[in-house]
Amino acid sequence: MNEQYADHGTRLTLQQFDEGGFVAVIFDPLRGRTRPAASHSDEEIIDVLTGADGTVGVDTSGWAVLTGAGMSTDSGVPDYRGPDAVPRQPMTIQTFLSHPDQRARYWARSWVGWPRMRSARPNAGHLGLAALPVAGIVTQNVDGLHQAAARQMGSDSPVIDLHGSLDRVICLDQGHMFDRDWVQTRLSELNPDFAKLVGIDPIDVETAPDGDVDLEETADFVVTDCPRCGGLLKPDVVYFGDSVPPARLQDANRICDEASGIVVLGSSLAVLSGLRFVRAAAKESKPVVIVTDGPTRGDELADYRSISRVADFVQDWALRGIQGDDDKLQA
């Protein structure tokens, strides 16, 4: 049996297998797209971002920023679609809910990957962006690195985790929230010999952007339920096939609606939940800047397109913003 789902512009086929669960086959909407040429030099684009080119009504504080997985690659968090990315089939919400073995599969992989994900630190791109007084940051990432950078830099620009955050776990029955570290400890107590049995070192593994790792044998992993009501526990993130919570989407829409323009950093815009903000800005004739080294679904909407590394671009933008606003740095 096959079931078709459309999620954020990415088509999913859920194929049933013998144990009663589902495996997702995800069709990449970027297939056939190629990286465009840069529309302007980075210096010219940063002139626009800082208002140095005389653009009326647009300065650093007027930009909404949308970030994707490419923002965190320098922190050791891989992306899904970069040139070095390993093809993956991330779990869908339908798969997660379909069978206990699928939940064991997710939590086993997440349990192994969490220590590595938890140890990730903001890179120069996160810190540079936190140094800029932008209108707000809407991130598709679930790693919490923008918030960590904001604390380090003393930034008060709002950050919206569009797809949630891995450091929180939610009960699907009653909505109870739990700290991810508590869940990790509980899973470790229930599965004291699991890492040894599967022959893997949790410190020396490569995680995916959503914090899990590839494991073959997971059926014996013991999953914990909600300690308050016995409900199913799930990381507080938006899986493929799931929906962004309405209140969170409203906050993200407000930031983008009130902004003078939008800057996309490190996102391929492959999912509609991010692309929609770019489409809305273009429809309202607001300037759209896209910075990433691969193709995106929004390239035809970009007024300014850079193919530079995100961290390098943001550092240059932050340096110019600091010099232009406060004259804090001198050549």
Side-chain angles (χ1 to χ4, degrees):
M1 178 180 67
N2 289 343
E3 297 186 35
Q4 297 291 332
Y5 290 85
D7 170 69
H8 310 313
T10 302
R11 185 161 60 92
L12 308 178
T13 299
L14 303 187
Q15 299 179 341
Q16 192 171 23
F17 53 87
D18 292 342
E19 290 79 3
F22 292 85
V23 61
V25 179
I26 299 179
F27 295 88
D28 190 349
L30 293 176
R31 183 177 297 173
R33 289 180 175 261
T34 58
R35 183 178 73 169
S39 65
H40 301 74
S41 70
D42 285 357
E43 183 176 356
E44 291 171 323
I45 296 174
I46 292 171
D47 281 344
V48 174
L49 293 176
T50 58
D53 71 333
T55 303
V56 177
V58 180
D59 59 19
T60 293
S61 62
W63 295 95
V65 180
L66 174 69
T67 70
M71 191 82 198
S72 295
T73 53
D74 282 3
S75 295
V77 181
D79 60 8
Y80 279 117
R81 297 178 175 86
D84 299 321
V86 177
R88 300 182 71 254
Q89 294 179 351
M91 183 167 286
T92 69
I93 186 61
Q94 293 84 7
T95 303
F96 184 84
L97 295 175
S98 67
H99 196 273
D101 285 350
Q102 289 299 320
R103 291 188 287 280
R105 172 175 170 259
Y106 173 80
W107 279 114
R109 292 154 62 107
S110 179
W111 176 78
V112 173
W114 175 244
R116 181 81 174 268
M117 180 65 72
R118 191 181 188 281
S119 69
R121 296 293 179 264
N123 62 53
H126 296 109
L127 297 174
L129 186 57
L132 291 164
V134 295
I137 299 168
V138 178
T139 184
Q140 298 169 287
N141 300 336
V142 295
D143 51 37
L145 293 177
H146 282 299
Q147 288 87 342
R151 291 191 295 270
Q152 185 171 334
M153 301 298 292
S155 170
D156 58 2
S157 295
V159 178
I160 304 298
D161 290 314
L162 191 64
H163 294 162
S165 182
L166 282 172
D167 64 0
R168 304 187 302 263
V169 175
I170 187 170
C171 168
L172 294 181
D173 287 14
Q174 299 293 330
H176 306 306
M177 282 288 190
F178 302 94
D179 184 82
R180 180 65 177 81
D181 285 334
W182 177 86
V183 174
Q184 185 76 5
T185 298
R186 180 62 180 145
L187 292 174
S188 297
E189 293 169 349
L190 293 171
N191 300 274
D193 300 319
F194 184 77
K196 184 183 297 184
L197 288 173
V198 298
I200 196 167
D201 181 357
I203 302 300
D204 188 28
V205 294
E206 181 175 345
T207 61
D210 47 10
D212 63 354
V213 301
D214 285 327
L215 289 179
E216 295 297 329
E217 301 296 330
T218 60
D220 294 332
F221 192 81
V222 180
V223 174
T224 186
D225 292 324
C226 177
R228 297 180 63 182
C229 70
L232 297 180
L233 293 182
K234 168 186 167 293
D236 189 25
V237 299
V238 177
Y239 284 9
F240 280 90
D242 209 347
S243 300
V244 177
R248 192 183 303 161
L249 183 59
Q250 184 177 11
D251 289 341
N253 281 332
R254 176 183 50 77
I255 287 174
C256 294
D257 289 346
E258 295 176 358
S260 303
I262 189 168
V263 184
V264 179
L265 300 174
S267 174
S268 64
L269 300 173
V271 293
L272 185 58
S273 57
L275 180 61
R276 62 184 299 164
F277 300 113
V278 173
R279 287 177 172 172
K283 185 176 181 180
E284 296 176 15
S285 298
K286 295 179 180 180
V288 173
V289 178
I290 297 178
V291 182
T292 193
D293 57 4
T296 83
R297 290 180 74 193
D299 287 334
E300 65 275 10
L301 302 175
D303 299 289
Y304 304 93
R305 184 65 162 89
S306 169
I307 55 175
S308 297
R309 292 181 68 256
V310 171
D312 294 340
F313 181 93
V314 176
Q315 286 181 88
D316 290 343
W317 179 17
L319 181 63
R320 183 88 69 80
I322 293 171
Q323 286 178 317
D325 290 343
D326 300 319
D327 213 18
K328 292 180 179 178
L329 300 182
Q330 299 294 330

